[in-house]
Amino acid sequence: MYKRVRLKDTVEVPPEQLADVSPQRVKRLLQDKPEGRMDEDVGSVVSVIEVHEIGEGTVLPNRPGVYYEAEFDAITFDPSMQEVTDGTVVEVVEFGAFVGIGPVDGLLHVSQISDEYLAHDAENQQLASTESTDSLGVDDAVRTRIVTKSIDERNPRDSKIGLTAKQPGLGKHEWLEQARKRREQDATAEGA
């Protein structure tokens, strides 16, 4: 999900900063430029961590700065299909829950949360079971698997990641812990 990758990009150094075209200056300028950008090949650039090489500067007509090509290492977020990830519910809506997984949110559709019917409780910002006391709400920790991924490089906020929690070992952390305790109690009861 998180990777360290080597990238190249062009950065503009403003005229007032041309006396200090150091790796530290270029790193700060790069941090302002690609961080948060989505790219189909590398994912979302989370952080520029180290500048390795700064090329020769180029002046463009009618532009005040000098442009340098830089080679640098960055930490990127690139979720893979079928990857299992832990996240936190950030919003609950009628059709499901948005789960924060790194710098993006994935949609956990109501049909992919549980085998039980979950009704939307807008007042309490949760999806509540009509068959048990189970509910899923904002700030709940969940383990999910990525089942769909559509990256929009031009509008990263329009990127879509679909999640499921309908498999053994997936779901709200509290539900997983309760299931583990039930298994332990059953095993103890069988051994007695």
Side-chain angles (χ1 to χ4, degrees), residues 8-11 26 53-58 67-71:
K8 283 186 179 181
D9 203 350
T10 302
V11 64
V26 171
E53 192 175 312
I54 302 169
E56 294 294 318
T58 302
Y67 293 82
Y68 293 88
E69 186 170 282
E71 186 174 295

Side-chain angles (χ1 to χ4, degrees), residues 79-98:
S80 301
M81 291 293 293
Q82 310 308 325
E83 185 172 5
V84 173
T85 181
D86 284 318
T88 303
V89 175
V90 295
E91 183 181 5
V92 175
V93 292
E94 191 170 329
F95 54 86
F98 288 96

Side-chain angles (χ1 to χ4, degrees), residues 3 5-7 37 39-45 76-78:
K3 300 174 186 168
V5 297
R6 180 80 43 107
L7 300 172
R37 178 186 78 201
D39 181 282
E40 187 68 41
D41 296 326
V42 299
S44 175
V45 177
T76 62
F77 174 81
D78 187 20

Side-chain angles (χ1 to χ4, degrees), residues 92-121:
V92 175
V93 292
E94 191 170 329
F95 54 86
F98 288 96
V99 179
I101 53 169
V104 297
D105 297 341
L107 173 62
L108 182 56
H109 191 271
V110 68
S111 67
Q112 295 298 309
I113 297 172
S114 170
D115 289 329
E116 298 179 12
Y117 177 77
L118 300 175
H120 182 238
D121 178 357

Side-chain angles (χ1 to χ4, degrees), residues 57-70:
T58 302
V59 177
L60 298 177
N62 301 318
R63 297 291 190 118
V66 177
Y67 293 82
Y68 293 88
E69 186 170 282

